[in-house]
Amino acid sequence: MNEVNVLLTLASVHFIALMSPGPDFALVVQNSTRYGRQTGIAIAFGLSIGILIHSILSLTGISYLVHSHPTLFLLLQLMGGSYLAYLGLTGIKSIIQSIRKSSQDKKPGKDFTLNSKKQAFTRGLTTNLLNPKALVFFVSLMSTLVPASMSVEGKVAALVILWSLSLFWFALLAWALSTKRLQLVLARVAIYIDVICCLLFSILGTAILWQAVTQLLTN
């Protein structure tokens, strides 16, 4: 398989993975719906930088060392699972507080959790970097599709493709969810989107923590 075919296959597999529901997808949906386009795009940029870092670490073999070293990978699982669970639980707590305030004041509850583009970027970057499933995915993707003999130019092209596709997809999603017409519709169901996304974060985080604790107890 020549390098062009490798890059096309890499792009196809990665783009399909991007569209699958997960913490990155949920983060963009939740915050683009609640805070609008600029916040959603800032999160998209943070997620794409996280993906770029994962890709570089996988190409250089650093991610493989982490994945193959039980203690390091366990530490990443504990950190990542705790962070996702924290996002979910604090989000649910904020939703409850917002509902209570709305019922008491008879006014819409105040937005919560993100107050700036920098904070949105950091949230996106951290969510992707601390996701152990992302590390496993990129280790598998790079080791399977990118041969060690691939030229430096080809590897750089692979990094650019993975980063640009990630930014394109998440920014497109943020843009689509923040159009004026759709915002009017989503405003009525924003609280339900928040609940679903927070539950997803909580479930994924708890599942990762459970897997890590189970591995720790069995070893």
Side-chain angles (χ1 to χ4, degrees):
M1 186 182 292
N2 60 44
E3 290 192 356
V4 174
N5 289 334
V6 169
L7 293 174
L8 288 174
T9 304
L10 188 70
S12 300
V13 173
H14 179 55
F15 195 65
I16 292 172
L18 285 173
M19 291 187 289
S20 62
D24 294 351
F25 186 93
L27 194 68
V28 174
V29 170
Q30 180 187 28
N31 291 287
S32 297
T33 301
R34 176 167 287 277
Y35 298 106
R37 183 169 300 169
Q38 292 187 350
T39 296
I41 291 177
I43 287 176
F45 187 55
L47 290 170
S48 69
I49 294 299
I51 287 171
L52 177 62
I53 294 172
H54 270 301
S55 302
I56 293 173
L57 294 178
S58 296
L59 272 181
T60 56
I62 295 174
S63 290
Y64 177 77
L65 292 176
V66 173
H67 184 227
S68 59
H69 196 291
T71 303
L72 291 177
F73 189 62
L74 177 64
L75 180 61
L76 178 63
Q77 284 181 303
L78 292 173
M79 290 173 60
S82 298
Y83 182 71
L84 289 176
Y86 167 79
L87 286 183
L89 294 175
T90 54
I92 291 172
K93 180 181 177 181
S94 296
I95 291 169
I96 294 172
Q97 291 175 344
S98 180
I99 293 173
R100 286 177 177 173
K101 184 178 179 183
S102 296
S103 61
Q104 291 172 358
D105 298 344
K106 303 300 180 182
K107 297 178 182 179
K110 187 179 179 181
D111 287 345
F112 52 87
T113 70
L114 290 177
N115 299 309
S116 67
K117 294 178 186 177
K118 181 179 179 181
Q119 194 176 22
F121 170 82
T122 304
R123 178 69 57 83
L125 177 65
T126 308
T127 299
N128 186 267
L129 282 181
L130 291 182
N131 185 359
K133 294 185 180 297
L135 181 142
V136 173
F137 170 76
F138 283 103
V139 167
S140 302
L141 187 69
M142 295 301 187
S143 61
T144 303
L145 296 180
V146 179
S149 59
M150 194 175 195
S151 66
V152 174
E153 293 81 5
K155 291 179 179 179
V156 171
L159 293 175
V160 172
I161 288 171
L162 293 175
W163 172 76
S164 58
L165 276 178
S166 304
L167 180 59
F168 167 76
W169 168 247
F170 290 127
L172 178 64
L173 185 62
W175 177 85
L177 290 170
S178 56
T179 57
K180 290 184 179 179
R181 181 176 296 181
L182 191 56
Q183 280 285 299
L184 291 174
V185 176
L186 292 175
R188 304 170 194 164
V189 295
I191 190 69
Y192 303 107
I193 294 174
D194 280 338
V195 170
I196 292 172
C197 291
C198 288
L199 286 175
L200 178 61
F201 291 137
S202 300
I203 292 170
L204 288 174
T206 302
I208 292 171
L209 286 173
W210 176 257
Q211 184 179 12
V213 171
T214 302
Q215 290 176 353
L216 183 63
L217 293 175
T218 55
N219 291 335

